[in-house]
Amino acid sequence: MNFSKLNFGVDGDSITAGEQWSWHVYKNLGMATHHNVAVGSAVWYKRTIECAAGSVTTQDYNAPDFAGISDGWEPTEDLNELQKRANNCAVVHIQRFISEVKSGQAPVPDVFAFAMGTNDDINCLGDAEKALTGKQLDGNENIDLFTEAGAMRWCIQRIMEEYPLARVFVLTPIQTATPEHNAKIEKQISTVMLKVAGGMGAQVVDCFHNSGICEKFEVIGGTGKYLRDGLHPDVPGQTLEGAYAAKEIRNNMF
C-alpha cells in the first residue's frame, strides 16, 4: 500500500509528544504529514483538581475562557496552572485536533492513532460495557467523560464521526521499569482498552506485550535498555516502538 499521500494524526502523552514513536511511523511508512497533539502528563478523561486555594474542572477547548493546556506535574497551588493541567486530557486534545483541521492548520487524517493511559488513575477506569451503551454521544448519560472508559469511547467516536474515511488505531502503553505500574496498565488493557477499542471497531496495537520493551531490562529512575528513566523511551526505544507500530498500521491498512 502506498502511504505517501496519507495524513497521520496522533494523540498521546509524554511518550508520544513531539517527534518520538509516531514520528518514526510517519517516516518509516513515508506518510505525507504528521499532526501530533500529544502533551506530556495527559490522561484520557476530564477531571476536577482540588487544592487549598480552590478547585478547577476540565474546560472544553472552545470555551471562551479556555486557560490553555499544561504538561506540568510538580506540586503547585496556582489555580491557573492547575486549570491548564485539568485541561490536559484526550477529550480536550481531540477537540483541539478537530478545531485545527477545520481552521486549515492541519489536513484531514487518513490514519489516526491514540496512545494514552500511562498516567491514568486506576480509580478512574469506569465501566467499559456501560460506556459502550447506545449509538449517539450527545445526551448519552452512559458516557462519563470523567472515566477512562467514557472518555476513550467519546474520543474514538468523535474522530470516526468527523473523519469517516480514517482508520483509527489504539496503542496500549508500553511496559515501564516498575512492576506495580505495569500491573495497573495490564488491568487498564484488560478491563477498558481492549473492550472499548473493540466495541468501537478500532484496531489495537499491543505495545505493552509486543513492542520489545520489557520491564526486566529497565531500571527504576535510571537508564536501561530502552527507557532513559524507567518510563520514557530514549531514541532506541522510540525507534523500536515506532517500527512495531508502523508494521501493525501497515499490515492492518489492507
Side-chain angles (χ1 to χ4, degrees):
M1 183 171 184
N2 182 3
F3 285 82
S4 65
K5 294 182 180 180
L6 301 187
N7 300 307
F8 189 29
V10 187
D11 187 27
D13 49 38
S14 60
I15 294 171
T16 300
E19 296 182 358
Q20 299 191 76
W21 69 264
S22 65
W23 180 258
H24 289 282
V25 171
Y26 156 69
K27 298 297 287 185
N28 289 353
L29 297 179
M31 302 177 95
T33 63
H34 174 244
H35 183 207
N36 184 2
V37 293
V39 180
S41 302
V43 296
W44 273 104
Y45 46 83
K46 290 185 172 186
R47 51 190 165 167
T48 296
I49 299 176
E50 299 180 347
C51 70
S55 67
V56 293
T57 299
T58 305
Q59 301 170 298
D60 286 323
Y61 183 74
N62 59 0
D65 60 344
F66 185 69
I69 302 172
S70 171
D71 63 358
W73 55 272
E74 295 180 342
T76 182
E77 293 198 357
D78 182 330
L79 283 179
N80 186 58
E81 169 62 18
L82 290 176
Q83 180 65 74
K84 293 178 181 180
R85 294 184 188 183
N87 293 342
N88 188 16
C89 66
V91 172
V92 175
H93 294 183
I94 295 311
Q95 293 172 340
R96 172 189 171 188
F97 184 94
I98 292 171
S99 176
E100 289 177 350
V101 172
K102 285 183 176 178
S103 68
Q105 297 178 59
V108 171
D110 301 288
V111 182
F112 193 96
F114 292 95
M116 305 286 292
T118 292
N119 303 311
D120 287 29
D121 189 324
I122 197 70
N123 297 312
C124 297
L125 298 186
D127 184 327
E129 285 80 5
K130 183 178 180 182
L132 287 167
T133 303
K135 298 182 183 297
Q136 305 298 325
L137 294 180
D138 292 343
N140 189 337
E141 61 185 17
N142 295 300
I143 302 174
D144 184 354
L145 297 184
F146 287 79
T147 67
E148 181 177 279
M152 186 176 174
R153 189 264 171 95
W154 187 92
C155 290
I156 292 172
Q157 188 162 339
R158 282 298 292 119
I159 289 294
M160 288 179 167
E161 288 178 343
E162 195 73 28
Y163 314 114
L165 299 181
R167 285 293 304 278
V168 177
F169 293 81
V170 176
L171 278 66
T172 66
I174 58 174
Q175 292 186 34
T176 72
T178 308
E180 294 79 9
H181 188 264
N182 293 338
K184 181 201 79 164
I185 293 173
E186 284 204 279
K187 183 175 181 179
Q188 289 173 245
I189 293 171
S190 63
T191 62
V192 174
M193 301 190 80
L194 291 178
K195 291 180 179 180
V196 175
M200 295 303 299
Q203 180 72 43
V204 175
V205 179
D206 191 354
C207 293
F208 186 88
H209 296 103
N210 299 326
S211 70
I213 298 174
C214 174
E215 171 256 319
K216 306 304 180 189
F217 303 101
E218 304 303 335
V219 179
I220 297 174
T223 302
K225 186 176 182 181
Y226 291 115
L227 306 179
R228 66 177 185 270
D229 54 6
L231 177 63
H232 299 92
D234 55 17
V235 173
Q238 297 164 12
T239 304
L240 182 68
E241 184 180 7
Y244 170 63
K247 174 185 72 73
E248 291 295 293
I249 290 172
R250 181 188 65 235
N251 291 348
N252 285 289
M253 283 293 288
F254 288 102

